[in-house]
Amino acid sequence: MLISVVVSFLMAASAGNFNQDFDITWGDGRAKILDNGELLTLSLDKTSGSGFQSKNEYLFGKIDMQLKLVPGNSAGTVTAYYLSSQGPTHDEIDFEFLGNLSGDPYILHTNVFGQGKGNREQQFYLWFDPTADFHTYSILWNPQRIIFSVDGTPIREFKNSESIGVPYPKNQPMRIYSSLWNADDWATRGGLIKTDWTQAPFTASYRNFNADACIWSSGASSCSSNTPTSTSTSTDWYSQELDSTSQERMKWVQKNYMIYNYCTDTKRFPQGLPPECTATTTS
């Protein structure tokens, strides 16, 4: 006889104390948690960058973080903020901010890895100066889709297309990672513009982390194995999809600010675009 055990839908609703939620993992003092855990800064100089990771692992969730990027001449630097599992067949959901010369726009680089396979890059300019103030960068990750958003505006949706053979991140718990590092061999104009170390140290700032998410611990999730039936707004993300208004906002961003889309790069894929690119199920 099958005995079903009802597991309550518990979530990590952590409203941003970096001391409680994150560990500084590298940088030899270049990463700092300040203001009683309300603010975290990463810095980069010619010797080293720095980084941190979440204490918890998550398997689905809505993750928000406010970032203020390196100001001024940030050419050659990359600020990465992403979810990732470990191992050669890892899953990963990426925001990467590619620095540029003063006055030129940052490039927001996004990617999705499933079972160790990435190559799903979309890149955008932003419609504001990401160095002047904090802005919210969000990843909504549920069993049906991944939605990247900036200040609540969706910029990209990656749908679950396993039905046509596309790996989708759904079985491997992921931690949140962030790092600030030197990538002047490729980050700015393909590596033509190098890091100006007279501008160092470069600093990026973080605040207002929030995770409505399923925590993975000791081989089990804090969420039910079944889709939650709660009507509470705090669990809406688990089955959330883009309504018509959100779809129009995403189309506006992609029309006006997208500068690269792997799904239109026929030179890169001479044998044919990846299957999710031509499926009606994926944006």
Side-chain angles (χ1 to χ4, degrees):
M1 186 174 91
L2 179 65
I3 301 175
S4 62
V5 179
V6 177
V7 181
S8 63
F9 190 72
L10 301 173
M11 293 177 299
S14 49
N17 187 292
F18 286 103
N19 285 314
Q20 295 175 3
D21 295 318
F22 291 92
D23 292 317
I24 291 171
T25 48
W26 64 285
D28 206 18
R30 290 171 180 81
K32 295 181 171 63
I33 296 176
L34 307 166
D35 298 346
N36 297 314
E38 298 297 312
L39 178 70
L40 189 150
T41 60
L42 295 181
S43 66
L44 163 69
D45 58 33
K46 198 167 187 177
T47 302
S48 178
S50 51
F52 64 89
Q53 70 181 41
S54 61
K55 295 178 187 291
N56 287 320
E57 291 183 292
Y58 305 98
L59 190 57
F60 305 126
K62 184 176 184 296
I63 310 294
D64 304 313
M65 184 82 80
Q66 289 194 327
L67 279 72
K68 183 163 67 171
L69 299 179
V70 174
N73 180 0
S74 58
T77 72
V78 173
T79 305
Y81 157 56
Y82 59 103
L83 289 163
S84 184
S85 62
Q86 297 298 307
T89 59
H90 75 292
D91 295 335
E92 188 170 315
I93 305 169
D94 291 340
F95 276 115
E96 288 188 299
F97 303 89
L98 312 186
N100 222 324
L101 293 169
S102 300
D104 287 348
Y106 260 83
I107 292 174
L108 171 52
H109 176 101
T110 66
N111 203 355
V112 177
F113 286 74
Q115 292 294 307
K117 182 179 182 297
N119 300 323
R120 298 187 178 100
E121 301 91 346
Q122 289 182 0
Q123 294 183 337
F124 305 83
Y125 288 143
L126 294 165
W127 49 96
F128 53 83
D129 179 357
T131 74
D133 203 352
F134 286 90
H135 292 268
T136 302
Y137 302 91
S138 304
I139 295 169
L140 185 146
W141 168 39
N142 65 31
Q144 295 82 38
R145 58 187 44 81
I146 296 162
I147 300 170
F148 298 79
S149 298
V150 178
D151 288 337
T153 295
I155 64 170
R156 177 178 184 179
E157 180 182 25
F158 184 85
K159 291 185 179 179
N160 185 335
S161 299
E162 288 180 307
S163 62
I164 56 172
V166 179
Y168 183 80
K170 68 169 192 178
N171 297 315
Q172 301 185 73
M174 298 197 267
R175 293 187 194 275
I176 303 163
Y177 296 88
S178 191
S179 57
L180 174 57
W181 49 290
N182 179 44
D184 69 2
D185 56 333
W186 64 269
T188 306
R189 298 186 190 171
L192 293 176
I193 310 297
K194 301 301 183 182
T195 304
D196 180 0
W197 293 112
T198 66
Q199 305 294 314
F202 304 96
T203 301
S205 303
Y206 301 73
R207 72 179 187 190
N208 290 349
F209 165 70
N210 189 76
D212 288 334
C214 305
I215 294 177
W216 185 267
S217 180
S218 302
S221 172
S222 62
C223 300
S224 167
S225 59
N226 298 314
T227 302
T229 56
S230 169
T231 57
S232 167
T233 56
S234 62
T235 63
D236 284 353
W237 60 264
Y238 197 88
S239 57
Q240 185 173 332
E241 56 188 70
L242 293 174
D243 60 19
S244 58
T245 301
S246 295
Q247 288 176 8
E248 287 303 313
R249 292 170 74 191
M250 184 173 71
K251 288 177 184 176
W252 173 80
V253 171
Q254 293 184 350
K255 177 182 177 182
N256 292 287
Y257 296 98
M258 180 185 282
I259 58 172
Y260 178 79
N261 181 4
Y262 77 109
C263 276
T264 61
D265 193 344
T266 53
K267 290 183 180 178
R268 184 179 177 190
F269 301 103
Q271 304 304 314
L273 293 170
E276 71 269 18
C277 294
T278 51
T280 56
T281 55
T282 300
S283 300

